[in-house]
Amino acid sequence: MSRVITAKFGGTSLADASQIRKAAEIIKSNPEIKYVVASAPGKRFKDDIKVTDLLYSCYSEFAKGDEFFPTLVKIKQRYEEIIRELGVTFDISAEIDTIEQTLKKYPPADYLASRGEYLNSKIIADFLGWTFVDAAEVIFFDENGHFDGEKTFMTVNAKLRDIPNAVVPGFYGSMPDGRIKTFSRGGSDVTGSIVARSTQSDIYENWTDVNGMLSADPRIVNNPLPIEYITYTELRELSYMGASVLHEDAVFPVRKAGIPINIRNTNAPDAKGTLIAASLPKDVKRRPVTGIAGRKGFTSVRVEKSQMNGQTGFGARLLYIFSRNGVPFEHCPTGIDTISVVVNSSAFDLRRDDILREIKNELSPDFITIEKNLAVIAVVGEGMVSARGTAAKVFSSLADAGVNIRMIDQGSDELNIIIGVDESDYETSVKALYSSMIEK
Ligand code: ASP
């Protein structure tokens, strides 16, 4: 039996007719690609404006009572150019009239925002000679606006089962009353994942404009090596720390179904990209460290109390003070008589006085020390468990670079080592870690 592939193409991959032609070539050259999920046209050049952003501007102009027609005309012109250059027959004027009429009836912003993927997908379906399936008919949110997985998976499956090839617009679905609702920005990745899961695809290809995920931030490290293989767990750690390649919610539907995601580059279709899977083929050789990611903007609140270890519930009470003040903790390294709670600085600063007062009143600590301007770096790799001396290498490379480590936290699964350094040492640390742990 032949495999089934769901392929999602992002905004830059479908930004104009020549990009759409590239995507179409990829699609047509692989008969296993049965379903395509399309984004709205993205940026064609650096200072260009994405169609979705134009749609949001159009909506806010309308909502303020300003003249929105010129923006709507700009949107129309983007599509007219695409239609003309692809040589398809598509009545864009009628579509734009419908949008304008609906807009006059004051529709929700989500309706307008969704039209970018709606129109692009219709045009692409025409160009490919495939069936267009409106996401509003198959992707559902409940009355509270939460994604309704069960109903959606069933409906997408039932609808697509009998259609050999379909194009589904990304980014939106509908509410029980029929109103359009979008996912958060970048949400076409989520639609792609939903379609892959519902159609029991063998693989979810996510076509974008980079050769996959990189092992470090290219703004800090020159030409970092791409990541060929990564597990979902590693991806989660790296994305949480700021490495972004996919919408965060796009992982869950396919991960649950054990479907791998392959990030590919529309502009370099021969590159293998990054394969994200639950577990990787045995013969794949990987470095102990898969990637490095980090973020600035943390504060560490270190609470010291002698014989703290003998007091049951001390840690729980401390964390509860943060949680009831609405400040989630990010890391929590502990010593015998100390606990540090590492939190996001901007969230902490808003509640700082209350939190400190409550700690003093409720826990009577000996000392509270606050360290601001902390950057947190995660060195992530499942291979670290079996590679001896990884931690030693992490610390010596930072020492050699003259960096003072201000916090260390190792996840219990030995998947990552988390290091806190001064924000001013952040870039130096990432470079040092990259060259000792990855480049070598
Ligand atoms: N077009 C939407 C956005 O710009 C969704 C997407 O492209 O994934 O956020």
Side-chain angles (χ1 to χ4, degrees), residues 8 11 39-40 50 52 117 171 184-189:
K8 178 257 168 180
S39 277
K50 289 172 158 199
T52 309
E117 350 291 291
F171 192 36
S184 57
R185 294 300 305 265
S188 299
D189 281 343

Side-chain angles (χ1 to χ4, degrees), residues 359-404:
I359 295 177
K360 278 186 200 143
N361 290 348
E362 295 172 34
L363 298 173
S364 320
D366 300 335
F367 301 103
I368 304 179
T369 321
I370 300 198
E371 288 194 69
K372 294 198 296 196
N373 305 329
L374 205 62
V376 175
I377 303 169
V379 178
V380 175
E382 289 187 353
M384 293 196 311
V385 188
S386 49
R388 231 178 281 165
T390 315
K393 229 195 259 170
V394 164
F395 303 133
S396 61
S397 68
L398 290 176
D400 292 347
V403 172
N404 179 21

Side-chain angles (χ1 to χ4, degrees), residues 166-364:
V167 181
V168 183
F171 192 36
Y172 71 95
S174 61
M175 306 269 287
D177 61 4
R179 271 181 307 148
I180 297 286
K181 162 131 187 76
T182 64
F183 291 106
S184 57
R185 294 300 305 265
S188 299
D189 281 343
V190 184
T191 311
S193 180
I194 292 167
V195 171
R197 156 97 179 259
S198 314
T199 55
Q200 285 143 17
S201 290
D202 295 275
I203 189 150
Y204 169 26
E205 287 183 352
N206 188 293
W207 290 84
T208 173
D209 55 1
V210 289
N211 278 356
M213 232 182 133
L214 297 173
S215 51
D217 187 340
R219 288 165 300 185
I220 302 174
V221 171
N222 219 347
N223 268 326
L225 289 170
I227 298 176
E228 252 183 84
Y229 295 97
I230 184 167
T231 65
Y232 284 124
T233 325
E234 291 173 327
L235 175 75
R236 181 104 184 96
E237 298 280 337
L238 287 172
S239 334
Y240 184 72
M241 291 307 291
S244 78
V245 66
L246 269 182
H247 189 294
E248 229 194 326
D249 297 339
V251 167
F252 302 107
V254 280
R255 180 178 184 168
K256 243 185 151 167
I259 301 167
I261 306 174
N262 191 188
I263 312 278
R264 303 285 295 268
N265 188 351
T266 305
N267 301 321
D270 294 332
K272 285 196 338 216
T274 300
L275 189 77
I276 308 163
S279 58
L280 301 173
K282 285 273 170 296
D283 50 341
V284 164
K285 267 191 84 110
R286 294 204 301 154
R287 298 177 291 269
V289 171
T290 304
I292 295 166
R295 279 191 277 146
K296 293 182 180 178
F298 292 97
T299 296
S300 157
V301 181
R302 184 168 185 274
V303 180
E304 201 173 328
K305 182 168 172 113
S306 70
Q307 289 171 352
M308 169 197 296
N309 65 332
Q311 295 189 21
T312 315
F314 190 95
R317 280 185 285 150
L318 175 63
L319 292 179
Y320 181 53
I321 292 175
F322 284 86
S323 88
R324 72 176 178 231
N325 278 283
V327 179
F329 81 96
E330 305 277 340
H331 301 283
C332 188
T334 55
I336 306 294
D337 288 333
T338 60
I339 304 188
S340 297
V341 184
V342 178
V343 287
N344 183 296
S345 303
S346 37
F348 176 68
D349 289 345
L350 292 173
R351 309 291 310 165
R352 180 194 156 100
D353 294 344
D354 291 325
I355 292 176
L356 295 182
R357 186 172 21 82
E358 290 166 30
I359 295 177
K360 278 186 200 143
N361 290 348
E362 295 172 34
L363 298 173
S364 320

